[in-house]
Amino acid sequence: MLQKRIQSSILAPNHLCLACFAIESFVSSTSPHTTRSAAGRSNTSQDDSSSATTDSPPLTQPSHLCIFTNTNQSKFAMLLLSSQLIALNIIPIQAPCTLKITSETEFALFLRKEKPKMFRFTMERGNLWNCVSVIGNIISGLMNQNLDTDSLLGDTSLQNQTGSSSTSPTTSSSSNTTTATHPDSALDWLKPYQSIMRHSPSLNGIDRNNSAHSRRIQATSPRRFMKTSSTNLKEDWVNTQMTARRNEYTETKDVNVALATFNVNMKQPSDRDTNSIREWLQLQTSNTSTGQVVYPDLIFVGLQEVDMSAAAVLKEQTEALTIWDGILSNALNSRDLQDPSEEGNGSAQRPEYVRVCSKQLVGLYSALFVKRTYNRPDVIKDVRACAAGVGVMQLGNKGAVSIRLELYKSTFCFVNSHLAPHMNNVERRNQNYFDIMKRTLFNGDRRFYHPDKHDFFFWLGDLNYRSTLDYDTMLRLIHDENYEKILAHDQLRIEKNKANSCFPHFDEAPISFPCTYRFDAGTNTYDTSEKRRIPAYTDRILWKQNKLIQCKNYSSFSAMKFSDHKPVSALFSVPVQVVIMDKMQRIHSDIIKQLDKMENDMLPEIKVSQTEFRFDNVRFEEVQTQTIVVENVGKVVCSFQFVGKPPNEDVLCKDWMEFDPPAGMIVPNDKIEIQLSVNVQADSAHALNAGRDTIDDILILHLKNGRDHFISIQGNWLKTCMANNMDRLISLKNGVRNPSGEETLDVDKRPLVPRELYTLCKYLHDNGLNTARVFKSEGSAEEARKIRDILDTGGSLYEYEGSCDTIAESILSLLKTFEEPVIPFHYYERVIEVVDEGYEKCLGLVRSVRESLHYNVFVYTIALLREVLKHSKKNDSTPADLAVIFGDAFIRKKDGLPSQFEQQQAVKFVEYFLLPHHVDEELGPLRPIQ
């Protein structure tokens, strides 16, 4: 009922009822005490620590936040928040005090002056996500410690709140102006949310780096809009020098780090597995020299296949995250079981563990736990998570979820990955590794943290590398415990030893346990099905080569039988750097003095190796990179940065241009290399294909207190059918890049659909309908390039010898990158609205599309997908799968990102035309082009 009421308000033309949805989502995603199940019930979590700093106090007193709909009805929505209850009440009331939002500053001043207990938000334009973002930013700003929140909230501590609950305001009916009763404190109603908001990583529930929405954004350089101040540059340089001299002001402390990986096969352990989970997480490991129990200080857990449902692809997180958070927290902190190794040895009580971070990407789940004694701001800092999907459309069914942190003065990065399956997919697994390394970037305050740039770098997961031995030989060798001979045929070890291959410079402890895949469910027996899958070491734990890391234990655990994999864990001893404060302050002061002396010496002067660059034959989605060397030939530290050209100085370059780094500092007689890259994605390719843009730009390299240097970028663009205009494609006789030139066709001779789409669909129809997992498997980048060249030059696919997966991926790419989508932009709102009215209304909308070419492309592509479904027994396709894949290929929003609701509506719209009882229906003949 809550969701339906909210949705009906969202669809109203001139107002939005947003607060109930925003606050409910906020509390369910951030409160460590209350979670919402799929059925809307309230559940109490056992884990009371999701913050890396300070535990959030429970909301012991009911707290009211009232936000009114902009309607003529005398009703308002009240959201009641407490540690046990989230409920929605609709109550008649007099007209409340009102405020039209024009700025966040104005809103803050209003709260300070009027001290309202209720208010109404009026949004004339925008959608739900925009509204939630506005409200979230306002409350976040008020809660931010840097904005003097004590003066806003008063000095009363949250822990010392009185037992009185919020009361409704009184209103005056003598005039049109309504006045609210003032509470004792300016923002009493915000107090219950203060601790949660301060420590929530994503206040409005949207993680723009790792959400399902962001996976659909075309890749562009985030550095184009970066502005860097000279103060920040100085801080960065000082930090670099401090890092170089870290050994002078730190001492070493050994910490125990446990890493655990498990492919759970979408299953969950029973209560009796608690002790096995603790053993798997290395909580019962004894020190061989002292005999005492060794407890990990940090525990990183990486799970795979926690949720592989189609619905999980469209969600940032599912119920599986909450479930596994609880399972692991309960296992780590249960007090009803005693470690056998603790009995009689006089060791200290088993420590309590706190979850500081957890994140999900479809089937992947990563969580980081630390001892409660470590959960302090001076010990653990800058905890960040990052998700990177790989494979077809980067949906996240394969990929990695990574967590990084700073422990004392040392940095850690943990990557949990699930790579491409099947025996013969070695090259694809290798490519998954490179893709994950490229896409895993932790967004810092003014920089991006790459996994390779940490002191200690661990990689674990279901890597899916197999053995080249046959089934019977493997069983015999496992029985004989001849693991070294098995590992001599292990694909991962073979690939690691190749030049320029995957996982370079990664180490692994000696393996002394049986293969961890694949077992009959509920047993310790390797696969006895007809497929007789060959046992393999698919589940691994690696670390970047580092002589300081010592692996104490590397084990698999056969006691856990609910999955077709066995869990693996390892215990490491890692020396971290602990700061000695007085020494650090002295060295910091010395570095500052050194910097000041150099800056005061004289003006900066640099030498640039080259000022003119040419990029020949630039292709769609193929990066070209050249290097410029900047040398400090002066006697003073110089600070440089790229700046924009007037009048839009915030834009440093064109969309297709990237550079790294965008700014920096160079000491005398030193030099730095800057990578200049041309990377044309769909958004910028539209203008290049249409002739509205060229590969031509001027970069301004600005030197603080010095002169600017101008860098010329030129090149030639190879036009492509991708990211092009449908009308332009059908007007050309022989392709967009035919050697004979762009010869156009008369209107009456133009094809009913673009020749490129027809060519791809016909090839797939004739050769690929029985291809396993068609449209779900990733194609080859080299084959995709060859296909584009054939289509762009008017060639034929008769001589094409590549995979049908690449053909299918090319069809998707062509549809998704059309300048105007298949369903034109101006039909978008009607599509979202008409879905709930059923198939007949959706069919009527398609038939009402005035643009004949767009109508033809939709009908033609749907016809192909229906043919694919007729062969579903061989290609493993379902209407739901194809609808998810083609939802945003047919239907795109012109401005901004679609909401999760809009994505679901688009998928449902496409699915209507693919359901079994509609497959044989005729959509209608293709229309002549006008």
Side-chain angles (χ1 to χ4, degrees):
M1 180 62 70
L2 170 63
Q3 189 68 20
K4 289 182 178 178
R5 185 175 292 120
I6 292 170
Q7 290 176 358
S8 63
S9 299
I10 294 169
L11 296 175
N14 296 319
H15 65 275
L16 297 170
C17 176
L18 60 95
C20 301
F21 180 84
I23 301 300
E24 182 195 33
S25 298
F26 165 69
V27 173
S28 63
S29 63
T30 60
S31 174
H33 306 282
T34 306
T35 59
R36 299 282 288 178
S37 69
R41 297 184 301 272
S42 210
N43 302 317
T44 304
S45 171
Q46 297 295 325
D47 183 8
D48 61 349
S49 300
S50 60
S51 167
T53 52
T54 305
D55 295 340
S56 303
L59 303 177
T60 55
Q61 301 298 330
S63 305
H64 303 271
L65 175 59
C66 308
I67 301 180
F68 299 86
T69 57
N70 183 15
T71 67
N72 295 324
Q73 302 173 357
S74 59
K75 293 183 178 182
F76 73 88
M78 174 180 289
L79 190 67
L80 178 62
L81 308 177
S82 72
S83 60
Q84 302 294 331
L85 178 65
I86 299 179
L88 179 72
N89 304 298
I90 304 297
I91 305 173
I93 195 171
Q94 300 283 340
C97 62
T98 62
L99 167 70
K100 183 173 182 179
I101 298 175
T102 57
S103 69
E104 297 178 10
T105 302
E106 181 177 339
F107 180 62
L109 293 174
F110 169 81
L111 294 177
R112 186 193 296 264
K113 180 180 178 182
E114 300 295 339
K115 305 180 179 64
K117 291 296 283 292
M118 296 185 242
F119 37 79
R120 173 171 64 196
F121 288 109
T122 302
M123 301 292 291
E124 293 182 352
R125 296 182 179 84
N127 58 35
L128 174 66
W129 293 113
N130 292 338
C131 297
V132 173
S133 179
V134 169
I135 306 307
N137 288 338
I138 290 170
I139 298 177
S140 175
L142 294 172
M143 293 296 95
N144 192 313
Q145 297 178 8
N146 296 329
L147 297 182
D148 191 21
T149 56
D150 290 338
S151 64
L152 290 173
L153 295 176
D155 296 328
T156 305
S157 172
L158 269 171
Q159 287 79 354
N160 298 325
Q161 276 187 273
T162 63
S164 60
S165 62
S166 302
T167 59
S168 300
T170 60
T171 57
S172 171
S173 58
S174 60
S175 66
N176 294 331
T177 304
T178 306
T179 307
T181 303
H182 293 190
D184 295 335
S185 179
L187 292 174
D188 278 348
W189 62 273
L190 282 175
K191 283 183 178 180
Y193 313 107
Q194 180 180 22
S195 180
I196 296 175
M197 291 178 179
R198 277 178 174 165
H199 303 119
S200 169
S202 180
L203 190 65
N204 57 12
I206 302 175
D207 185 343
R208 298 194 178 277
N209 285 325
N210 304 299
S211 69
H213 308 307
S214 67
R215 292 198 291 272
R216 301 178 181 272
I217 303 175
Q218 292 290 342
T220 56
S221 172
R223 301 182 178 90
R224 294 195 307 113
F225 300 97
M226 180 184 292
K227 296 189 72 175
T228 309
S229 69
S230 59
T231 302
N232 291 341
L233 293 175
K234 288 182 180 180
E235 291 177 1
D236 289 343
W237 186 86
V238 170
N239 289 337
T240 301
Q241 301 303 309
M242 291 292 293
T243 300
R245 299 180 60 179
R246 184 170 57 183
N247 291 337
E248 299 180 35
Y249 59 87
T250 60
E251 59 185 7
T252 299
K253 175 182 179 179
D254 289 332
V255 298
N256 293 311
V257 180
L259 275 70
T261 178
F262 193 8
N263 184 322
V264 298
N265 194 25
M266 293 185 290
K267 295 180 175 63
Q268 296 164 10
S270 62
D271 293 338
R272 63 177 178 270
D273 289 319
T274 300
N275 208 38
S276 297
I277 294 176
R278 290 169 53 202
E279 181 181 0
W280 165 48
L281 298 178
Q282 298 284 348
L283 294 185
Q284 295 178 342
T285 304
S286 298
N287 188 311
T288 55
S289 60
T290 65
Q292 291 187 336
V293 177
V294 176
Y295 293 112
D297 302 298
L298 275 72
I299 302 175
F300 176 78
V301 181
L303 304 181
Q304 304 85 41
E305 296 189 11
V306 296
D307 187 349
M308 299 298 287
S309 63
V313 174
L314 294 176
K315 296 181 180 179
E316 181 182 352
Q317 65 184 47
T318 68
E319 191 177 3
L321 181 135
T322 303
I323 291 173
W324 277 103
D325 281 349
I327 290 172
L328 295 174
S329 296
N330 291 342
L332 287 171
N333 296 313
S334 75
R335 298 296 173 182
D336 57 340
L337 295 172
Q338 182 72 17
D339 287 342
S341 54
E342 291 181 7
E343 296 178 0
N345 62 8
S347 61
Q349 185 181 11
R350 179 161 49 87
E352 182 180 358
Y353 287 91
V354 176
R355 187 184 72 254
V356 296
C357 183
S358 65
K359 188 169 183 63
Q360 178 190 0
L361 174 67
V362 190
L364 283 159
Y365 166 92
S366 294
L368 179 66
F369 296 84
V370 301
K371 287 181 179 177
R372 182 172 289 279
T373 55
Y374 277 64
N375 191 30
R376 308 195 315 265
D378 61 317
V379 177
I380 293 181
K381 300 183 285 290
D382 207 8
V383 180
R384 299 179 186 274
C386 174
V390 298
V392 60
M393 298 196 304
Q394 303 173 29
L395 289 176
N397 53 321
K398 294 295 184 287
V401 174
S402 309
I403 297 177
R404 64 92 56 197
L405 77 152
E406 184 175 341
L407 177 63
Y408 292 110
K409 205 62 180 175
S410 298
T411 56
F412 288 76
C413 177
F414 304 99
V415 174
N416 166 33
S417 69
H418 193 183
L419 308 186
H422 307 308
M423 173 72 73
N424 298 325
N425 275 344
V426 177
E427 290 300 326
R428 187 167 296 173
R429 284 188 278 275
N430 294 348
Q431 186 61 45
N432 288 166
Y433 162 79
F434 291 110
D435 290 342
I436 290 170
M437 286 293 289
K438 179 174 65 175
R439 296 170 187 165
T440 299
L441 287 175
F442 301 94
N443 190 1
D445 294 334
R446 297 190 314 274
R447 56 176 294 188
F448 294 91
Y449 301 102
H450 190 272
D452 244 355
K453 303 301 181 182
H454 292 75
D455 296 323
F456 304 106
F457 178 17
F458 297 88
W459 190 306
L460 56 78
D462 182 357
L463 307 188
N464 255 322
Y465 286 95
R466 310 300 172 90
S467 174
T468 58
L469 296 172
D470 60 72
Y471 182 86
D472 293 326
T473 302
M474 286 292 290
L475 290 186
R476 178 173 53 80
L477 292 175
I478 292 172
H479 178 269
D480 297 340
E481 298 185 359
N482 193 347
Y483 304 132
E484 277 304 316
K485 187 168 183 179
I486 295 175
L487 291 167
H489 298 269
D490 176 67
Q491 289 178 342
L492 176 59
R493 292 205 173 180
I494 294 172
E495 294 302 311
K496 277 173 73 319
N497 292 331
K498 293 180 181 179
N500 301 320
S501 188
C502 62
F503 296 100
H505 311 299
F506 273 86
D507 283 337
E508 182 179 21
I511 294 179
S512 57
F513 50 85
C515 295
T516 59
Y517 170 90
R518 175 181 187 180
F519 294 86
D520 293 338
T523 73
N524 287 329
T525 304
Y526 290 102
D527 188 14
T528 59
S529 67
E530 293 181 0
K531 294 184 178 180
R532 284 165 49 99
R533 294 177 179 86
I534 301 173
Y537 290 107
T538 57
D539 310 280
R540 313 288 276 270
I541 298 177
L542 312 175
W543 69 92
K544 196 76 175 195
Q545 289 177 354
N546 189 324
K547 295 181 179 179
L548 300 177
I549 297 177
Q550 296 181 9
C551 184
K552 295 183 175 181
N553 183 282
Y554 190 24
S555 307
S556 175
F557 297 87
S558 59
M560 297 172 70
K561 303 176 183 179
F562 61 85
S563 174
D564 56 357
H565 288 247
K566 295 300 179 185
V568 174
S569 65
L571 181 67
F572 297 90
S573 175
V574 181
V576 298
Q577 302 293 322
V578 181
V579 173
I580 304 173
M581 289 304 299
D582 57 342
K583 290 185 178 181
M584 186 187 73
Q585 292 171 356
R586 184 172 64 253
I587 292 174
H588 184 270
S589 177
D590 292 343
I591 292 175
I592 294 296
K593 291 178 182 179
Q594 176 188 358
L595 178 60
D596 290 342
K597 183 178 184 301
M598 289 189 294
E599 280 189 323
N600 294 330
D601 196 5
M602 60 175 57
L603 294 177
E605 183 180 358
I606 63 171
K607 178 182 178 182
V608 179
S609 62
Q610 187 177 347
T611 57
E612 295 183 357
F613 291 86
R614 180 167 183 83
F615 295 83
D616 290 321
N617 299 329
V618 177
R619 296 172 179 267
F620 178 65
E621 290 187 343
E622 293 186 18
V623 181
Q624 289 191 32
T625 301
Q626 298 187 42
T627 302
I628 179 174
V629 179
V630 179
E631 183 180 1
N632 185 351
V633 295
K635 297 182 179 180
V636 67
V637 173
C638 65
S639 302
F640 71 87
Q641 68 180 101
F642 286 95
V643 297
K645 300 177 284 294
N648 191 5
E649 297 185 3
D650 288 337
V651 179
L652 309 186
C653 59
K654 291 186 177 181
D655 289 351
W656 43 261
M657 190 70 215
E658 300 175 357
F659 36 76
D660 184 30
M665 180 174 285
I666 315 175
V667 298
N669 301 318
D670 200 0
K671 62 182 66 175
I672 189 172
E673 291 185 351
I674 302 175
Q675 306 296 321
L676 304 178
S677 300
V678 173
N679 182 10
V680 178
Q681 299 294 321
D683 289 344
S684 50
H686 292 154
L688 291 168
N689 282 325
R692 300 190 301 268
D693 192 13
T694 58
I695 304 297
D696 184 11
D697 200 3
I698 299 293
L699 306 181
I700 302 177
L701 184 63
H702 174 71
L703 193 64
K704 182 184 177 182
N705 298 326
R707 68 183 185 90
D708 291 341
H709 294 258
F710 298 91
I711 301 171
S712 172
I713 306 295
Q714 291 183 333
N716 66 294
W717 164 248
L718 297 182
K719 291 184 178 180
T720 178
C721 60
M722 301 296 173
N724 217 308
N725 182 283
M726 290 189 203
D727 294 298
R728 188 181 305 120
L729 292 180
I730 66 169
S731 68
L732 298 176
K733 183 178 181 180
N734 296 314
V736 297
R737 208 170 68 240
N738 191 276
S740 61
E742 293 187 359
E743 185 177 353
T744 59
L745 295 169
D746 295 334
V747 175
D748 58 343
K749 295 182 180 180
R750 293 178 179 178
L752 300 183
V753 296
R755 180 186 60 85
E756 293 80 2
L757 179 63
Y758 168 80
T759 302
L760 291 169
C761 291
K762 186 176 187 307
Y763 187 94
L764 189 66
H765 179 273
D766 295 343
N767 302 279
L769 294 182
N770 293 328
T771 302
R773 297 181 57 79
V774 63
F775 286 114
K776 299 178 186 177
S777 299
E778 188 175 12
S780 163
E782 184 60 32
E783 289 175 358
R785 176 180 177 177
K786 292 178 181 178
I787 291 172
R788 286 198 299 268
D789 284 343
I790 291 173
L791 298 176
D792 295 342
T793 56
S796 169
L797 289 176
Y798 289 126
E799 298 180 0
Y800 173 71
E801 297 179 352
S803 71
C804 288
D805 288 330
T806 309
I807 293 289
E809 193 173 52
S810 298
I811 293 174
L812 266 173
S813 180
L814 182 65
L815 293 173
K816 293 181 68 173
T817 61
F818 277 140
E819 191 167 7
E820 179 90 3
V822 177
I823 302 297
F825 285 126
H826 56 270
Y827 287 93
Y828 183 83
E829 297 296 337
R830 290 176 58 188
V831 168
I832 302 304
E833 293 174 1
V834 81
V835 167
D836 293 330
E837 299 180 25
Y839 171 69
E840 294 300 329
K841 290 289 186 181
C842 294
L843 179 60
L845 186 147
V846 169
R847 289 174 174 170
S848 70
V849 173
R850 296 187 301 273
E851 295 85 351
S852 300
L853 179 56
H854 290 258
Y855 170 83
N856 291 348
V857 169
F858 181 82
V859 171
Y860 187 74
T861 310
I862 288 293
L864 173 69
L865 298 184
R866 289 178 171 180
E867 288 298 315
V868 171
L869 289 172
K870 291 178 182 179
H871 295 73
S872 60
K873 290 184 178 179
K874 293 186 177 181
N875 60 38
D876 193 29
S877 294
T878 66
D881 290 342
L882 293 180
V884 169
I885 293 171
F886 280 85
D888 61 350
F890 287 137
I891 303 163
R892 296 204 312 268
K893 195 172 185 177
K894 187 171 185 178
D895 298 312
L897 295 174
S899 67
Q900 181 175 329
F901 170 73
E902 290 171 330
Q903 291 182 58
Q904 293 170 343
Q905 293 293 88
V907 169
K908 188 176 179 181
F909 180 88
V910 176
E911 188 175 5
Y912 273 138
F913 296 91
L914 303 177
L915 293 176
H917 50 282
H918 296 149
V919 166
D920 295 325
E921 295 181 8
E922 291 290 338
L923 296 181
L926 300 185
R927 300 172 182 172
I929 302 300
Q930 299 177 353

